Amino acid sequence: MNPAAAGPGIAGPEVTHRRMLALAVPITLANVTTPLLGLVGTAAVGRLGDAALLGALALGAVAFDYLFWTFGALRMATAGLTAQATGAGNAAEIDRTLARALAAALAVGLVMVALQGPLAAAAVRLFGASPAVTGALSAYFAVRIWCAPFTLANYAILGSTLGRGRTDLGLGLQVAINAVNVVLTLLFVLRADYGVAGAALATVLAEIAGTVLGLAVLQRLGSRPWRVPVAEIVERAGLTRMLAVNGDVMVRTLALITALALFSALGARSGDATLAANAVLQNLFLVGSFFLDGFATAAEVLCGQALGARDEGRFRAAVRLSLGWCLGFALAVSGLFLAVGESFIDAITTAPEVRAVARDYLVYAALTPVAAAAAFAFDGVYVGATWTRPMRNLMLAALSVDVAVLALTRGAGNTGLWLAMLAFLAARGLGQALLYPRLVAGAFPQAPAGRAAEAAR
């Protein structure tokens, strides 16, 4: 069913600053706590005193981050579709959406397990590490690949909880998975001496626990996706829509990964000091993105539910609030980065040459939250409204801008890389802002009175 063609949904809560923060803060906390898991794993394996094991853990984490992040569309698509069904008061569609997402997670996860040999070989060739690291990486990969169906299922479960507006439950599930992972990592690596395979096993068991807990939580909310008939799961219109939304978001994600990979790959050609300095500065953008992503998720929920309820006033209010919060926070964070950036650089690295290069480019890194603010906000809006095809196309256009700026600034060295990154981030938000009026008019085609009243406020 196309929500744009649906009748009026149920009345929802008013869109306010308090509601925006109530949705955004739990996701922000979940984003901030997640890196602690990597820190614990690194510390545990690091205590074994074998550099090869530590290198294998780092490369394994990168390999699986990219592998699973590619299918992170499951989270976003499920959240958008669930939010719309929630706004429309359609409990049956909420369960059908979750059932389809879980079925897709199981199918894709099992394919990954079946293809573990070629996937592991590709990872080994890509990194080109030493024989000692390669051996440990292969051992890590052989164990962790078994978490694929559960990791993807947790994306679907998280999307379902977020789409209902229960970001508090999303936070709880993420913290639970990470807590189990931390405890088991310490047990298997330090006590049982399983090495990197122990760290991988801890992740597998934590993801399984997360799936079981997540399904139990959703059952308490009244969801029973396992009771949805197979005929409804594979119903043509619903399945086609879910696959289209997921496909669009996947292409969008691959384009984003490509832009980030270009930045890293071209930075490596500028020398080790520049590569290291860029890595240090990217952490500033990463910190800012944790918070911006929280507001983007809030926009997914509020806009999706408003669209499902056919409430244009609530939809437009959600867009205004998400843009305001993202831009306001981005300005504050950029100012903070400029104020304490040099101290941050000194805390991260002790290498004089890296510190010097990082200071030279600090201002560019500090501007990334401002350049990305509109893109984060509109990503949430577009996902909640399931305007995923325009989002995909605009991301590809932004990637073209990135490549064009890189070509034009080829002789500018690292400055050119940062200018291209800023142009890429800004182009995403600008393109979404320009297309937004046409999309929102199409989403609410029979609400001229409501649109006039909204404009008159």
Side-chain angles (χ1 to χ4, degrees), residues 17-55:
H17 291 286
R18 176 174 293 186
R19 177 150 171 76
M20 174 68 70
L21 290 173
L23 292 169
V25 170
I27 293 303
T28 299
L29 293 176
N31 289 340
V32 171
T33 57
T34 297
L36 295 177
L37 172 61
L39 180 62
V40 171
T42 300
V45 172
R47 290 181 64 84
L48 300 179
D50 189 333
L53 296 182
L54 195 57

mmCIF file of all heavy atoms in Angstrom, residues 17-55:
data_model
loop_
_atom_site.group_PDB
_atom_site.id
_atom_site.type_symbol
_atom_site.label_atom_id
_atom_site.label_comp_id
_atom_site.label_asym_id
_atom_site.label_seq_id
_atom_site.Cartn_x
_atom_site.Cartn_y
_atom_site.Cartn_z
ATOM 1 N N HIS A 17 9.863 20.190 20.503
ATOM 2 C CA HIS A 17 11.298 20.047 20.790
ATOM 3 C C HIS A 17 11.521 18.916 21.792
ATOM 4 O O HIS A 17 12.486 18.146 21.659
ATOM 5 C CB HIS A 17 11.855 21.358 21.354
ATOM 6 C CG HIS A 17 11.914 22.469 20.354
ATOM 7 N ND1 HIS A 17 12.852 22.514 19.349
ATOM 8 C CD2 HIS A 17 11.143 23.581 20.196
ATOM 9 C CE1 HIS A 17 12.674 23.607 18.617
ATOM 10 N NE2 HIS A 17 11.646 24.273 19.116
ATOM 11 N N ARG A 18 10.637 18.804 22.776
ATOM 12 C CA ARG A 18 10.803 17.748 23.780
ATOM 13 C C ARG A 18 10.707 16.370 23.146
ATOM 14 O O ARG A 18 11.484 15.480 23.459
ATOM 15 C CB ARG A 18 9.743 17.911 24.875
ATOM 16 C CG ARG A 18 9.777 16.795 25.909
ATOM 17 C CD ARG A 18 8.828 17.049 27.060
ATOM 18 N NE ARG A 18 9.270 18.194 27.849
ATOM 19 C CZ ARG A 18 8.690 18.570 28.989
ATOM 20 N NH1 ARG A 18 7.659 17.889 29.465
ATOM 21 N NH2 ARG A 18 9.148 19.615 29.649
ATOM 22 N N ARG A 19 9.740 16.197 22.241
ATOM 23 C CA ARG A 19 9.597 14.885 21.598
ATOM 24 C C ARG A 19 10.794 14.606 20.695
ATOM 25 O O ARG A 19 11.278 13.474 20.631
ATOM 26 C CB ARG A 19 8.295 14.826 20.804
ATOM 27 C CG ARG A 19 8.106 13.517 20.032
ATOM 28 C CD ARG A 19 6.663 13.139 19.869
ATOM 29 N NE ARG A 19 6.486 12.019 18.963
ATOM 30 C CZ ARG A 19 6.736 10.759 19.263
ATOM 31 N NH1 ARG A 19 7.197 10.450 20.478
ATOM 32 N NH2 ARG A 19 6.541 9.793 18.385
ATOM 33 N N MET A 20 11.262 15.614 20.000
ATOM 34 C CA MET A 20 12.438 15.440 19.154
ATOM 35 C C MET A 20 13.629 14.962 19.982
ATOM 36 O O MET A 20 14.326 14.001 19.606
ATOM 37 C CB MET A 20 12.768 16.761 18.455
ATOM 38 C CG MET A 20 14.062 16.770 17.642
ATOM 39 S SD MET A 20 14.033 15.747 16.165
ATOM 40 C CE MET A 20 12.903 16.681 15.124
ATOM 41 N N LEU A 21 13.864 15.590 21.116
ATOM 42 C CA LEU A 21 14.982 15.192 21.972
ATOM 43 C C LEU A 21 14.759 13.821 22.587
ATOM 44 O O LEU A 21 15.703 13.036 22.743
ATOM 45 C CB LEU A 21 15.196 16.237 23.063
ATOM 46 C CG LEU A 21 15.759 17.584 22.602
ATOM 47 C CD1 LEU A 21 15.768 18.585 23.749
ATOM 48 C CD2 LEU A 21 17.163 17.417 22.032
ATOM 49 N N ALA A 22 13.508 13.516 22.961
ATOM 50 C CA ALA A 22 13.212 12.206 23.556
ATOM 51 C C ALA A 22 13.523 11.082 22.581
ATOM 52 O O ALA A 22 13.913 9.970 22.992
ATOM 53 C CB ALA A 22 11.745 12.139 23.974
ATOM 54 N N LEU A 23 13.365 11.340 21.297
ATOM 55 C CA LEU A 23 13.689 10.338 20.284
ATOM 56 C C LEU A 23 15.174 10.331 19.952
ATOM 57 O O LEU A 23 15.768 9.265 19.737
ATOM 58 C CB LEU A 23 12.887 10.610 19.011
ATOM 59 C CG LEU A 23 11.376 10.396 19.090
ATOM 60 C CD1 LEU A 23 10.693 10.946 17.853
ATOM 61 C CD2 LEU A 23 11.053 8.916 19.262
ATOM 62 N N ALA A 24 15.790 11.509 19.898
ATOM 63 C CA ALA A 24 17.176 11.615 19.436
ATOM 64 C C ALA A 24 18.198 11.185 20.479
ATOM 65 O O ALA A 24 19.201 10.543 20.146
ATOM 66 C CB ALA A 24 17.464 13.049 18.992
ATOM 67 N N VAL A 25 17.962 11.522 21.739
ATOM 68 C CA VAL A 25 18.973 11.275 22.773
ATOM 69 C C VAL A 25 19.298 9.791 22.955
ATOM 70 O O VAL A 25 20.488 9.428 23.028
ATOM 71 C CB VAL A 25 18.541 11.917 24.110
ATOM 72 C CG1 VAL A 25 19.442 11.458 25.249
ATOM 73 C CG2 VAL A 25 18.582 13.441 23.995
ATOM 74 N N PRO A 26 18.305 8.876 23.024
ATOM 75 C CA PRO A 26 18.664 7.455 23.176
ATOM 76 C C PRO A 26 19.534 6.929 22.040
ATOM 77 O O PRO A 26 20.475 6.158 22.278
ATOM 78 C CB PRO A 26 17.301 6.751 23.219
ATOM 79 C CG PRO A 26 16.362 7.780 23.730
ATOM 80 C CD PRO A 26 16.838 9.063 23.125
ATOM 81 N N ILE A 27 19.225 7.321 20.807
ATOM 82 C CA ILE A 27 20.035 6.856 19.683
ATOM 83 C C ILE A 27 21.439 7.439 19.751
ATOM 84 O O ILE A 27 22.431 6.774 19.438
ATOM 85 C CB ILE A 27 19.355 7.223 18.356
ATOM 86 C CG1 ILE A 27 18.057 6.435 18.214
ATOM 87 C CG2 ILE A 27 20.262 6.933 17.176
ATOM 88 C CD1 ILE A 27 18.225 4.938 18.290
ATOM 89 N N THR A 28 21.544 8.685 20.172
ATOM 90 C CA THR A 28 22.858 9.304 20.335
ATOM 91 C C THR A 28 23.679 8.531 21.363
ATOM 92 O O THR A 28 24.870 8.250 21.150
ATOM 93 C CB THR A 28 22.712 10.765 20.773
ATOM 94 O OG1 THR A 28 21.987 11.492 19.771
ATOM 95 C CG2 THR A 28 24.072 11.411 20.969
ATOM 96 N N LEU A 29 23.056 8.180 22.473
ATOM 97 C CA LEU A 29 23.758 7.414 23.503
ATOM 98 C C LEU A 29 24.184 6.048 22.979
ATOM 99 O O LEU A 29 25.288 5.572 23.268
ATOM 100 C CB LEU A 29 22.867 7.251 24.733
ATOM 101 C CG LEU A 29 22.555 8.534 25.516
ATOM 102 C CD1 LEU A 29 21.576 8.243 26.647
ATOM 103 C CD2 LEU A 29 23.836 9.144 26.068
ATOM 104 N N ALA A 30 23.313 5.401 22.200
ATOM 105 C CA ALA A 30 23.663 4.105 21.616
ATOM 106 C C ALA A 30 24.857 4.250 20.675
ATOM 107 O O ALA A 30 25.767 3.416 20.678
ATOM 108 C CB ALA A 30 22.467 3.517 20.870
ATOM 109 N N ASN A 31 24.862 5.316 19.873
ATOM 110 C CA ASN A 31 25.981 5.546 18.955
ATOM 111 C C ASN A 31 27.289 5.779 19.704
ATOM 112 O O ASN A 31 28.352 5.321 19.287
ATOM 113 C CB ASN A 31 25.682 6.754 18.071
ATOM 114 C CG ASN A 31 24.603 6.482 17.050
ATOM 115 O OD1 ASN A 31 24.314 5.337 16.735
ATOM 116 N ND2 ASN A 31 23.990 7.532 16.535
ATOM 117 N N VAL A 32 27.207 6.519 20.813
ATOM 118 C CA VAL A 32 28.411 6.850 21.575
ATOM 119 C C VAL A 32 28.976 5.626 22.286
ATOM 120 O O VAL A 32 30.197 5.463 22.391
ATOM 121 C CB VAL A 32 28.110 7.970 22.585
ATOM 122 C CG1 VAL A 32 29.275 8.180 23.535
ATOM 123 C CG2 VAL A 32 27.814 9.281 21.850
ATOM 124 N N THR A 33 28.085 4.737 22.760
ATOM 125 C CA THR A 33 28.569 3.578 23.523
ATOM 126 C C THR A 33 29.128 2.481 22.624
ATOM 127 O O THR A 33 29.967 1.692 23.068
ATOM 128 C CB THR A 33 27.438 2.985 24.379
ATOM 129 O OG1 THR A 33 26.338 2.619 23.529
ATOM 130 C CG2 THR A 33 26.963 3.979 25.418
ATOM 131 N N THR A 34 28.710 2.425 21.369
ATOM 132 C CA THR A 34 29.143 1.337 20.487
ATOM 133 C C THR A 34 30.663 1.274 20.305
ATOM 134 O O THR A 34 31.240 0.182 20.339
ATOM 135 C CB THR A 34 28.438 1.453 19.124
ATOM 136 O OG1 THR A 34 27.024 1.295 19.317
ATOM 137 C CG2 THR A 34 28.927 0.398 18.155
ATOM 138 N N PRO A 35 31.372 2.417 20.085
ATOM 139 C CA PRO A 35 32.828 2.318 19.926
ATOM 140 C C PRO A 35 33.559 1.741 21.138
ATOM 141 O O PRO A 35 34.691 1.273 21.005
ATOM 142 C CB PRO A 35 33.249 3.776 19.682
ATOM 143 C CG PRO A 35 32.035 4.442 19.156
ATOM 144 C CD PRO A 35 30.902 3.794 19.865
ATOM 145 N N LEU A 36 32.920 1.775 22.313
ATOM 146 C CA LEU A 36 33.576 1.210 23.489
ATOM 147 C C LEU A 36 33.836 -0.278 23.321
ATOM 148 O O LEU A 36 34.802 -0.821 23.864
ATOM 149 C CB LEU A 36 32.704 1.452 24.736
ATOM 150 C CG LEU A 36 32.512 2.924 25.134
ATOM 151 C CD1 LEU A 36 31.574 3.015 26.337
ATOM 152 C CD2 LEU A 36 33.851 3.576 25.444
ATOM 153 N N LEU A 37 32.961 -0.953 22.548
ATOM 154 C CA LEU A 37 33.150 -2.376 22.305
ATOM 155 C C LEU A 37 34.454 -2.638 21.570
ATOM 156 O O LEU A 37 35.224 -3.535 21.939
ATOM 157 C CB LEU A 37 31.966 -2.919 21.500
ATOM 158 C CG LEU A 37 32.104 -4.364 21.005
ATOM 159 C CD1 LEU A 37 32.248 -5.313 22.185
ATOM 160 C CD2 LEU A 37 30.904 -4.742 20.150
ATOM 161 N N GLY A 38 34.708 -1.845 20.527
ATOM 162 C CA GLY A 38 35.956 -2.008 19.796
ATOM 163 C C GLY A 38 37.162 -1.736 20.662
ATOM 164 O O GLY A 38 38.185 -2.414 20.541
ATOM 165 N N LEU A 39 37.031 -0.771 21.578
ATOM 166 C CA LEU A 39 38.129 -0.446 22.482
ATOM 167 C C LEU A 39 38.432 -1.618 23.418
ATOM 168 O O LEU A 39 39.596 -1.969 23.633
ATOM 169 C CB LEU A 39 37.774 0.801 23.291
ATOM 170 C CG LEU A 39 38.820 1.281 24.296
ATOM 171 C CD1 LEU A 39 40.105 1.661 23.567
ATOM 172 C CD2 LEU A 39 38.285 2.464 25.100
ATOM 173 N N VAL A 40 37.388 -2.257 23.936
ATOM 174 C CA VAL A 40 37.580 -3.402 24.839
ATOM 175 C C VAL A 40 38.207 -4.571 24.091
ATOM 176 O O VAL A 40 39.136 -5.225 24.584
ATOM 177 C CB VAL A 40 36.239 -3.822 25.470
ATOM 178 C CG1 VAL A 40 36.391 -5.145 26.219
ATOM 179 C CG2 VAL A 40 35.733 -2.743 26.417
ATOM 180 N N GLY A 41 37.699 -4.842 22.887
ATOM 181 C CA GLY A 41 38.266 -5.932 22.104
ATOM 182 C C GLY A 41 39.728 -5.706 21.790
ATOM 183 O O GLY A 41 40.553 -6.620 21.896
ATOM 184 N N THR A 42 40.062 -4.485 21.410
ATOM 185 C CA THR A 42 41.450 -4.150 21.105
ATOM 186 C C THR A 42 42.336 -4.304 22.339
ATOM 187 O O THR A 42 43.448 -4.845 22.260
ATOM 188 C CB THR A 42 41.548 -2.710 20.576
ATOM 189 O OG1 THR A 42 40.763 -2.597 19.383
ATOM 190 C CG2 THR A 42 42.985 -2.334 20.272
ATOM 191 N N ALA A 43 41.842 -3.846 23.482
ATOM 192 C CA ALA A 43 42.618 -3.943 24.714
ATOM 193 C C ALA A 43 42.822 -5.402 25.119
ATOM 194 O O ALA A 43 43.927 -5.796 25.554
ATOM 195 C CB ALA A 43 41.915 -3.183 25.834
ATOM 196 N N ALA A 44 41.780 -6.221 24.972
ATOM 197 C CA ALA A 44 41.883 -7.630 25.369
ATOM 198 C C ALA A 44 42.888 -8.373 24.495
ATOM 199 O O ALA A 44 43.777 -9.075 25.004
ATOM 200 C CB ALA A 44 40.504 -8.292 25.291
ATOM 201 N N VAL A 45 42.749 -8.220 23.181
ATOM 202 C CA VAL A 45 43.680 -8.909 22.278
ATOM 203 C C VAL A 45 45.075 -8.312 22.407
ATOM 204 O O VAL A 45 46.093 -9.022 22.323
ATOM 205 C CB VAL A 45 43.167 -8.823 20.824
ATOM 206 C CG1 VAL A 45 44.214 -9.368 19.850
ATOM 207 C CG2 VAL A 45 41.857 -9.579 20.676
ATOM 208 N N GLY A 46 45.141 -6.995 22.638
ATOM 209 C CA GLY A 46 46.436 -6.349 22.789
ATOM 210 C C GLY A 46 47.240 -6.888 23.958
ATOM 211 O O GLY A 46 48.470 -6.916 23.923
ATOM 212 N N ARG A 47 46.544 -7.356 24.998
ATOM 213 C CA ARG A 47 47.232 -7.895 26.172
ATOM 214 C C ARG A 47 47.870 -9.259 25.905
ATOM 215 O O ARG A 47 48.657 -9.749 26.707
ATOM 216 C CB ARG A 47 46.263 -8.008 27.343
ATOM 217 C CG ARG A 47 45.847 -6.642 27.911
ATOM 218 C CD ARG A 47 44.903 -6.809 29.082
ATOM 219 N NE ARG A 47 45.545 -7.481 30.217
ATOM 220 C CZ ARG A 47 46.280 -6.873 31.134
ATOM 221 N NH1 ARG A 47 46.482 -5.565 31.042
ATOM 222 N NH2 ARG A 47 46.808 -7.544 32.133
ATOM 223 N N LEU A 48 47.543 -9.861 24.761
ATOM 224 C CA LEU A 48 48.156 -11.139 24.410
ATOM 225 C C LEU A 48 49.588 -10.952 23.915
ATOM 226 O O LEU A 48 50.338 -11.919 23.798
ATOM 227 C CB LEU A 48 47.321 -11.859 23.348
ATOM 228 C CG LEU A 48 45.880 -12.194 23.748
ATOM 229 C CD1 LEU A 48 45.159 -12.882 22.587
ATOM 230 C CD2 LEU A 48 45.856 -13.082 24.994
ATOM 231 N N GLY A 49 49.936 -9.691 23.589
ATOM 232 C CA GLY A 49 51.320 -9.390 23.218
ATOM 233 C C GLY A 49 51.721 -9.799 21.823
ATOM 234 O O GLY A 49 52.913 -9.879 21.521
ATOM 235 N N ASP A 50 50.755 -10.078 20.948
ATOM 236 C CA ASP A 50 51.073 -10.493 19.583
ATOM 237 C C ASP A 50 50.511 -9.444 18.623
ATOM 238 O O ASP A 50 49.291 -9.304 18.471
ATOM 239 C CB ASP A 50 50.444 -11.858 19.294
ATOM 240 C CG ASP A 50 50.917 -12.454 17.965
ATOM 241 O OD1 ASP A 50 51.284 -11.670 17.075
ATOM 242 O OD2 ASP A 50 50.899 -13.691 17.826
ATOM 243 N N ALA A 51 51.406 -8.721 17.957
ATOM 244 C CA ALA A 51 50.972 -7.653 17.056
ATOM 245 C C ALA A 51 50.139 -8.193 15.902
ATOM 246 O O ALA A 51 49.220 -7.524 15.416
ATOM 247 C CB ALA A 51 52.194 -6.907 16.517
ATOM 248 N N ALA A 52 50.436 -9.411 15.455
ATOM 249 C CA ALA A 52 49.693 -10.002 14.340
ATOM 250 C C ALA A 52 48.227 -10.207 14.714
ATOM 251 O O ALA A 52 47.328 -9.978 13.899
ATOM 252 C CB ALA A 52 50.324 -11.323 13.928
ATOM 253 N N LEU A 53 47.982 -10.630 15.952
ATOM 254 C CA LEU A 53 46.606 -10.832 16.397
ATOM 255 C C LEU A 53 45.846 -9.513 16.459
ATOM 256 O O LEU A 53 44.675 -9.428 16.073
ATOM 257 C CB LEU A 53 46.582 -11.510 17.766
ATOM 258 C CG LEU A 53 47.146 -12.925 17.858
ATOM 259 C CD1 LEU A 53 47.004 -13.475 19.280
ATOM 260 C CD2 LEU A 53 46.452 -13.851 16.865
ATOM 261 N N LEU A 54 46.520 -8.485 16.935
ATOM 262 C CA LEU A 54 45.887 -7.168 17.024
ATOM 263 C C LEU A 54 45.579 -6.632 15.627
ATOM 264 O O LEU A 54 44.494 -6.071 15.380
ATOM 265 C CB LEU A 54 46.806 -6.206 17.768
ATOM 266 C CG LEU A 54 46.176 -4.895 18.267
ATOM 267 C CD1 LEU A 54 45.000 -5.170 19.186
ATOM 268 C CD2 LEU A 54 47.228 -4.068 18.997
ATOM 269 N N GLY A 55 46.506 -6.818 14.714
ATOM 270 C CA GLY A 55 46.276 -6.384 13.335
ATOM 271 C C GLY A 55 45.130 -7.141 12.691
ATOM 272 O O GLY A 55 44.312 -6.568 11.974
#
